[in-house]
Amino acid sequence: MPRTHASLPRLFVQPELAAGAQMTLGKDQSLYLAAVLRKTVGDEVVLFNGRDGAWLARLQSDAKKSVALELIEQIAVQTPRSDLWYGFAPLKTERLDYVIQKATEMGAGVIQPVLTRFTQVNRLKHDRLVANAVEAAEQCEVLSVPDVRTELTLDRLLDSWATEHADRRLILADEVEASASPVEAISALKGQRVGVLIGPEGGFSDEERSRLHSLPFVVPVSLGPRILRADTAAVAALAVIQAIIGDWR
Ligand code: SAH
């Protein structure tokens, strides 16, 4: 994304993006542009839809409930969605919002809530999770919104891993692992498709940990000598993965 457009608001939209296309935004996005940001006719915004790259658009009307836009030019070509899979035991509401946003900013392509023995919540508001991913994607200038999946149990995830994720290795953030640097274990995965799994506040149960450690595709790693909060561990794990074998090139 050219930094020249960095100051412009970015909106994730559904319709196709092509030169000269016109579109009218829904109520929420119109209110955000016209009322909150006080954008008026002639002002510019950046649109992306996960398929057609990023486009510069101009307000044709600034009606608070139905802003009309005309597309001007493409300013970034579409790049493939990240292949980094992020699995986590969902946390309580505001921490959950935070984790979804951070996973998006850190470049997760798939966000998979995983229900484990000590997971605190069992019913997730999927729309809320998606809204958090969209908001984070708009802010951090990615061109695709991560695919936020509906929750499944750890057993179901592991039972279906071989078919769903054939060649993907699963990095397990395991707080019981002896404190060590994850650099070596993660470096060994260079060039491979990877996922990362973060447990709940209460950690993984002994049964869960022993099953995970018995699986050939699981790569347990330590995130250092301190016990991190689950949302801290999320950012720490994603950061080391992106820095060592990911897209922080
Ligand atoms: N059982 C402890 C730890 C849970 S921390 C407790 O009850 O407080 C939540 C999750 O963050 C863990 O399941 C693990 O996935 C991750 N995590 C936290 N600290 C870690 C560390 N030092 N190394 C690896 N993973 C860690």
Side-chain angles (χ1 to χ4, degrees):
M1 173 66 59
R3 298 305 299 164
T4 46
H5 300 110
S7 61
L8 297 180
R10 288 168 49 79
L11 292 178
F12 178 68
V13 294
Q14 299 300 336
E16 186 193 352
L17 301 174
Q22 316 251 341
M23 74 174 70
T24 301
L25 296 177
K27 190 156 123 322
D28 292 350
Q29 289 184 322
S30 297
L31 278 170
Y32 172 64
L33 282 186
V36 174
L37 298 183
R38 299 192 179 290
K39 292 298 177 187
T40 55
V41 175
D43 284 343
E44 293 177 337
V45 296
V46 173
L47 304 178
F48 68 107
N49 62 7
R51 306 184 303 276
D52 303 320
W55 282 75
L56 195 60
R58 188 172 292 134
L59 273 75
Q60 300 291 86
S61 100
D62 52 20
K64 290 198 174 11
K65 292 213 169 53
S66 59
V67 163
L69 298 169
E70 180 184 25
L71 271 67
I72 303 157
E73 59 177 332
Q74 187 180 42
I75 54 174
V77 291
Q78 187 63 43
T79 48
R81 176 191 278 156
S82 153
D83 182 55
L84 179 53
W85 184 95
Y86 171 69
F88 72 111
L91 307 167
K92 282 210 162 54
T93 318
E94 69 286 341
R95 307 262 310 286
L96 181 55
D97 294 344
Y98 173 90
V99 158
I100 300 292
Q101 300 225 3
K102 299 313 141 192
T104 302
E105 292 170 57
M106 299 303 284
V110 173
I111 297 178
Q112 172 67 67
V114 180
L115 302 179
T116 68
R117 175 94 166 60
F118 300 133
T119 297
Q120 298 163 332
V121 293
N122 285 311
R123 288 292 312 134
L124 297 176
K125 296 187 181 74
H126 187 255
D127 291 355
R128 183 187 177 114
L129 305 192
V130 172
N132 273 296
V134 168
E135 187 183 330
E138 290 172 339
Q139 178 270 326
C140 68
E141 300 188 6
V142 290
L143 292 172
S144 306
V145 175
D147 175 7
V148 181
R149 299 282 168 80
T150 49
E151 61 274 20
L152 49 67
T153 62
L154 178 61
D155 279 339
R156 176 85 196 291
L157 175 78
L158 299 179
D159 291 345
S160 60
W161 189 271
T163 48
E164 297 279 307
H165 301 275
D167 55 351
R168 190 185 297 277
R169 305 298 296 278
L170 179 57
I171 297 167
L172 169 68
D174 185 351
E175 76 279 7
V176 172
E177 277 287 291
S179 170
S181 160
V183 171
E184 204 176 318
I186 293 174
S187 302
L189 301 175
K190 191 161 183 57
Q192 297 189 50
R193 302 183 72 190
V194 296
V196 58
L197 179 63
I198 308 286
E201 280 310 328
F204 291 105
S205 72
D206 292 343
E207 299 76 26
E208 288 170 339
R209 185 172 287 105
S210 63
R211 178 174 185 197
L212 283 159
H213 279 256
S214 73
L215 295 167
F217 56 80
V218 170
V219 180
V221 298
S222 159
L223 295 175
R226 287 167 293 281
I227 294 294
L228 310 176
R229 298 285 300 260
D231 41 355
T232 313
V235 180
L238 288 167
V240 290
I241 291 167
Q242 292 292 39
I244 299 167
I245 58 173
D247 64 8
W248 286 7
R249 284 186 278 285

